[in-house]
Each structure stands twice: as structure tokens, then as C-alpha cells.
Amino acid sequence: MRFGVLTGGGDCPGLNAAVRAVVFRAARAGHETVGFLDGWKGVRDGLTRPLRSEDLLEAISRGGTVLGSSRTNPFAKPEDAERALATLDRLGIDVLIAIGGDDTLSAARELHRRGRRVVGVPKTMDNDVGGTDWTFGFDSAATVAVDAVARLRDTAASHHRVVLLEVMGRHAGWVALATGLAAAADATLLPEEPYDEPRLLARVRAAVAQRGYALVVVSEGIDLGSPTGSAAAHDEFGHELLRERGVGSSLARRIESATGFEARSAQIGHIQRGGPPTLFDRILATRLGAGAVDLALAGRFGEVAVLRGEEVLGVPLDEALRETKRVPPSWRDLLHTFEPG
Ligand code: F6P
């Protein structure tokens, strides 16, 4: 068979490990793999590069994606969809492995509905794809954010300030949860919970009373009631660019005026998405990439390779895309156990 592979959506550590696993696993079964450049754009425009095992020996430890990525939606216009289908025919692609988050996987599902052989691999630093316990990219991104909080702690303590770190993660609070929990923040604000200003101020005051400073982690997706909608910038899949709202800096101003404590905020942004993948992400990406090839070899098209407990298995794309996976109450309860006030 001739495999095609693409990486779509926001990049994250572990993509190269997954591409490498696809190429090695396919090669071991006697199949070749072609890489599409820049996500679905490469399929639409016929942009490819050959992928050989020997070129990917060390790819497991490299951040970003050797294939490039984009947020191109190949089904945004009928003519784009025609071009994408024609590319697959012209290049003789028997099965396409689409590595991405919910947008990339929805395009994969559409391709499957149009009769093409597709298998998905879930990735995203947001950890919000359904059907899988974890997505790769998340562990690496949260690890970077935990390190950032440790650095902010030094400066917050020196200046007796309230310091906020705004992390990415879209409308799911997984990155904020893991960061707040692992870095022992005094308060962590998630999009899954309504904004509660009195509770936040109580935690900040209690932390400052205890040791003279406070650390707050805030997810970019929380709703402070600021205006959004048509005026806000959106990507090609219609998602608002949340970091433009600057919830961290708005909160710093609110805290400063309500408490009189000096407050500062930092936005970690894309720093979270770069750098080498953690051990967990290298192994997960490798298992899911290889798992996707195994699904294809078993004829299980239209499925996604996912992690459930200790096992990698296949679930239908529909199941993985049914709903955004958000932080459930049990995790939130654990998080707040450690917060003062
Ligand atoms: O989905 C991954 C993610 O990093 C989100 O956490 C964030 O909101 C978004 O991508 C940023 O997108 P872009 O890289 O297009 O600015």
C-alpha cells in the first residue's frame, strides 16, 4: 500500500515521533509513506515530500513537525475538496493517516464519508479530543507551563506581588488544571467553571497573608464577560483566537484595584508548544502512530487510534469527535483542595 501522512492544526511536541512511527511501522510491513506538507493544504495543493525511515531516526526527540502544519480546511469550498480528492487519486494514496486535533479529524471524517480510506491520530496540547484518555502534546505543554510558574514564583516572592500566568488550552481547562496542580498555584481558573471574583480575591488575600505573594494560573478560555463574537479574530475553522482577549492582564488589573496588591501577568502562549516532547509524549505519539498503521492494515478505516487505560485501540472518528473533552468535577475538586482561602 501507499500511505500518506499529514500533521494539521496547531503544532505540538510529539508530532515528529508520530510521523516517525507511521513511517517505520508501514515500512516494516513493506509499505511506503508519502508526507503531505502543511496539513490539509498539502493534500489540497498536492505538496508532498518522500518519507524514509533513515531520515527520521532522531525525529522522536524533535519538537514541531517536519511536515509543517496549517489550519487549512480542505472542505471549506467545494473546489478545494475536489482538488484534495484529485491529489489523493493522482498520487495513488491508498490510505491517509491524519494526525491532528478535532478540526483535522473532522476533515478526515469528511474524507472518509466521501469514500476514502483514512485513519486518525489524535494530538493536541489542549487534551480536549474525546475518546482518548490523553493526547500527546499536552504533557509537554503543561511541563513547560509548570516550569514557567516556578520562575514566576521567584519574582512574585521577591516583589511581594500577585502574578498571573495565562496558559493556552482553548475551551478546555486541562493545561491550566495540570499547571495549577503541579506548580501549586494559589488559584487556578478554568473555562469549565463560572468566573467567581469573590472566591478568587479570597484566595489571593489568603496567599498574600500567608507568605506575601500569590500565584494564579488562568486558562485563556475563561469567560470574564468581555465582548467577543464577530469583531474577534477567528481561524479558518471558525475558532476565536482566544489569546487576543488577554484575560490574564484583565484579571491582573481587577485584582490590583480590588485588593491594592501590585499585580502582573504573563502570557506563555506559543512557548508552550515548542521544544522537545517529554518522555510521556514520545511514547504516546509513537504508540498511536504505530497503532494507526495497524488499524489501516486491519482494514479499520474511519477510525482513530486512541489510548484507553494501558491499551491503544481504535474508535470510530464519530466517537472521537462527538464532544470536546472538558475537565470533569472530580479533577476540579482535587485542584481546589490545595488552594488557600
Ligand atoms: O489548539 C492548540 C492551541 O495552542 C490552543 O491552545 C490555542 O488557543 C490555539 O492553538 C492557538 O492557535 P494559533 O497557533 O493558530 O495561534
Side-chain angles (χ1 to χ4, degrees), residues 5 13 105 107 239 294 305:
V5 61
L105 296 178
H239 301 296
D294 293 347

Side-chain angles (χ1 to χ4, degrees), residues 10 71 124-126 168-170 220 241-243 270 273:
R71 295 197 186 276
T124 166
M125 62 156 282
D126 303 337
M168 296 206 283
R170 233 171 222 160
E220 64 175 0
L241 303 182
L242 294 171
R243 65 195 301 275
H270 294 82
R273 293 224 308 245

